[in-house]
Every structure is written in C-alpha cells, then in structure tokens.
Amino acid sequence: MDGPERVTPPYEGADERTSLTRFLEYQRQTLAMKCSGLTAEQLRQRAVAPSALSLLGLVRHMAEVERGWFQLVMNGEDAGGYWGRWAEGEGAEFDVEGADPAQAFEVWNAACERSREIVDAAESLESVGRYRDMRFSLRYVLTHMIEEYARHNGHADLLRERIDGATGE
C-alpha cells in the first residue's frame, strides 16, 4: 500500500500541543494512505451488507467530523453539512453510490486545512468551544479527533484488506 509519507509523532521532547497535533496529523495521513491507489469503484465498495461503510464514506464522514468539531464547535462558524448531513439526517455522507472521490478528497483536505488554521490560531489547549450548552476545550477536541480517526482507521484497515488484500499500519 503506497501513499503519502506520514509525519511521525514526536517520541520525546515535545510539548503537549505539538504531540497532540502531530498524532492527529498522523491519523489523517493514515486514512489517506488506506485510500491511496484505489479506483473510484473500489473506494465506494461497501464492507458487508447491510453496512453502508466504505472508504469513500469514511473520507466524507471525517470531513464532516473535522467541520463539526473545529469550525462549528471551536470556532463558532455557522457551517452547514457538506453532503446534506443535517438536512437529510445522520449518515448522509455514507451514501456514496454516485459520489465523486475527487470532490470528497478535496472537501476533506480543505476541512483538515481549516481545522489546522483554527488550532494554530487558538491561544492554548485550554481554549474553549461551545456546542449548545456544552463546553469543550481544544485539548478535548484534539484528543477526541485522534480517537475518532484511530477508530475509523481500524475500519479502513479491514475495508482495504477486503478490497485488494493490502494490509499494513
């Protein structure tokens, strides 16, 4: 499985913010790696019935998750869902039958870049974002995002192995 070079998180000597942001970046790059070298049809291939899970669906889902946690919660932006998620209900991003992989990766990459900008602009890990009546620190959001990617990268491992037998980190 070839793909983009991943940035290794620091083994020692890094402050907490650097460590968290590098681990998050590593997880983002892992998802990209799991999707590399596949055709549009392979990216749309679902796990097993009745699951709607696919690599392309994961990319679209993570674009929504990036948007939700960083733009909406941490930055208070009034950003609607990319694929009608809020209008059509939970999980619309997993409906990939006619989805364009190039568009999905473009949206995901743009969402990741916007997330990086928001994190870079935050004063500290104690910076607080809000959603409804709940408050979340940047530390919580970064940690949650690492967990979210790591969980879905486990799904991506299984999906990729089913598609072409490729295994790896």
Side-chain angles (χ1 to χ4, degrees):
M1 184 174 350
D2 295 327
E5 194 71 27
R6 291 183 294 168
V7 174
T8 304
Y11 295 129
E12 62 179 328
D15 61 60
E16 183 181 13
R17 186 177 184 143
T18 300
S19 185
L20 289 170
T21 56
R22 293 280 295 275
F23 265 98
L24 177 54
E25 197 59 36
Y26 184 82
Q27 293 297 326
R28 287 172 176 145
Q29 292 167 351
T30 298
L31 180 57
M33 181 185 77
K34 296 296 176 183
C35 295
S36 67
L38 298 176
T39 67
E41 195 53 44
Q42 288 172 316
L43 289 167
R44 288 187 198 102
Q45 188 174 330
R46 294 174 187 255
V48 292
S51 175
L53 194 61
S54 68
L55 287 169
L56 185 56
L58 288 176
V59 170
R60 288 165 48 114
H61 174 68
M62 291 314 298
E64 292 287 5
V65 173
E66 292 271 356
R67 180 200 58 78
W69 280 105
F70 291 106
Q71 293 175 42
L72 180 65
V73 174
M74 289 308 300
N75 216 37
E77 296 175 22
D78 187 15
Y82 297 120
W83 292 281
R85 177 182 177 143
W86 306 115
E88 297 172 26
E90 196 74 24
E93 65 269 28
F94 289 105
D95 181 12
V96 298
E97 189 171 315
D100 177 9
Q103 182 220 26
F105 280 96
E106 182 179 313
V107 168
W108 176 59
N109 285 317
C112 291
E113 183 56 34
R114 183 69 185 120
S115 297
R116 287 183 204 96
E117 292 168 359
I118 291 166
V119 170
D120 290 347
E123 283 186 35
S124 75
L125 292 174
E126 301 308 317
S127 296
V128 173
R130 292 170 180 76
Y131 181 70
R132 297 185 178 150
D133 63 343
M134 298 174 285
R135 296 168 43 95
F136 301 93
S137 72
L138 179 59
R139 176 182 288 105
Y140 174 89
V141 172
L142 288 169
T143 304
H144 173 72
M145 289 298 293
I146 292 165
E147 178 273 332
E148 181 89 11
Y149 271 100
R151 181 166 33 95
H152 289 312
N153 282 337
H155 299 138
D157 282 338
L158 297 172
L159 287 163
R160 181 64 189 250
E161 186 174 11
R162 184 171 188 269
I163 291 166
D164 68 358
T167 60
E169 271 186 76

